[in-house]
Structures are given as structure tokens and as C-alpha cells.
Amino acid sequence: MNALPTVVLDIAYAVECLLVVDLLSGVLHWAEDTWTAPGRSKLLDQYIVRDNIEHHRKPGLIRAGDYWATNRVCIVLASVAACVMALCGVHAWEAYLIVAFASQANQVHLWAHSANPPRWVATLQRLGILQSTAHHAQHHKRPYASRFCTITNFLNPVLDRIMFWRGLEWLFVQCGATVQRATPARGGY
Ligand SMILES: [Zn+2]
Ligand SMILES: [Zn+2]
């Protein structure tokens, strides 16, 4: 009798977890596009900054690497997060689902640049549960300042409408941060 509501609730929680990862992807992507510059940290340059600049110069190159090359940074970071959570006694399955989704963030981004993703992925893209190619393509168009979230089609319209990223950038600049844009058309590299 209670099985259905429990399943429905679990699905709702899982969708919530996906939206949390969508927001996280947006924050990290916005931070990469707005504040990172090469030459400050060899580690960041090798694993994040150069790849990010390259992606905005040639978006299609994201499909060139194999699965590990595409996802290694997210998988390693997610694994570390999962270990820390386990050591701290975190038991909530939602926390681990968030980490699992996050470990595949770049894969979802890659599918948003693929003309022929797997059929199940294409179905989820049509539903907006995974980000569609048409939706993500807007990020790679002028003024290169919207649709920073890369997991679903749901958060970007809301965040862009309320000018969330511009507000955040303004706040950081007021606090003394210096803008270092990754996207050439926005004054970057
Ligand atoms: Zn970007
Ligand atoms: Zn992209």
C-alpha cells in the first residue's frame, strides 16, 4: 500500500539531488569562466584551466578524449568527497547520489555536445532531465554569459532570468576579486 508513495518520494529526492549537482556544476563552471587565469598554479592549469580555455575555443574537442580523459577530474574529486563523507559517518543515500551524479558531470556535458548520444541519453535530453545540445549551445554563443549549469535544462532559465551570475560577479568584484574570463569574446584568453 505504501510502496508507491515511497517510490515516488525517492524519485523526487533523486531529482532534487540532480538539481543540486546542476547548481554545483553552474557555480564551478561560472567560477572557471570568470576567475581562472593560466600561470598561477601548475596543478590547476594542467587539470582545469587549460581544458576550460580549450573548450571555449573549440567546444567540439570535448568529444576527442576517451571516457577516463573526459571524467577523471570529476571522478577523483567525487571519490575523495565520498571517502570523507564515509569517514565522517554520513549515511544519507542522497549525499552519495549527489556525489555519484557529480562524478559524471563532464560526461553529461560531453553528451550535450554530441549529435548522436546513446538513445536513453537522447530521451532524457528531450525531457530536459539531462541537458540537451540546443540548450547548452546557447552557452557557447554571445554574450557567453548565460547557461552555466551543465546537467539539466531546468535551472538555467531561472538563474539567468534573475541575473544570478551577474549579481554574484558584481558581489565578488565589490569584494576585490579580479575578473579573468576564460571565453575570448568576453575579454578572456
Ligand atoms: Zn563556459
Ligand atoms: Zn560546452
Side-chain angles (χ1 to χ4, degrees):
M1 285 286 282
N2 291 329
L4 186 60
T6 304
V7 168
V8 171
L9 215 55
D10 285 347
I11 291 172
Y13 283 141
V15 171
E16 263 181 52
C17 292
L18 194 68
L19 292 178
V20 167
V21 176
D22 200 19
L23 183 60
L24 273 176
S25 77
V27 170
L28 290 175
H29 183 180
W30 166 81
E32 284 178 42
D33 280 14
T34 314
W35 310 108
T36 58
R40 291 179 178 171
S41 155
K42 278 188 178 175
L43 198 67
L44 285 180
D45 281 358
Q46 185 175 351
Y47 292 105
I48 294 175
V49 180
R50 280 200 215 121
D51 285 350
N52 188 46
I53 292 169
E54 186 71 14
H55 180 62
H56 291 85
R57 282 181 177 155
K58 297 172 182 173
L61 276 186
I62 194 174
R63 297 186 299 269
D66 59 17
Y67 177 82
W68 179 243
T70 302
N71 297 290
R72 60 184 177 171
V73 172
C74 288
I75 289 175
V76 169
L77 292 177
S79 301
V80 170
C83 289
V84 170
M85 290 193 311
L87 287 171
C88 293
V90 174
H91 295 299
W93 63 267
E94 294 91 341
Y96 292 93
L97 188 62
I98 286 172
V99 168
F101 283 151
S103 75
Q104 300 306 302
N106 267 354
Q107 188 63 39
V108 175
H109 185 190
L110 180 149
W111 284 326
H113 281 283
S114 302
N116 294 302
R119 193 174 291 179
W120 67 271
V121 171
T123 302
L124 291 177
Q125 286 179 331
R126 269 195 296 278
L127 296 170
I129 294 169
L130 293 183
Q131 193 157 111
S132 65
T133 50
H135 185 97
H136 183 64
Q138 294 301 316
H139 174 73
H140 289 282
K141 288 180 182 169
R142 290 173 192 278
Y144 302 93
S146 65
R147 301 201 174 179
F148 286 103
C149 299
T150 57
I151 304 298
T152 79
N153 286 5
F154 302 133
L155 288 190
N156 281 325
V158 178
L159 295 175
D160 290 339
R161 198 165 299 138
I162 64 173
M163 296 198 290
F164 179 79
W165 305 113
R166 286 178 196 217
L168 214 53
E169 184 177 315
W170 178 85
L171 201 63
F172 273 61
V173 169
Q174 300 311 306
C175 294
T178 305
V179 171
Q180 301 278 350
R181 301 199 194 284
T183 302
R186 296 185 68 205
Y189 307 97

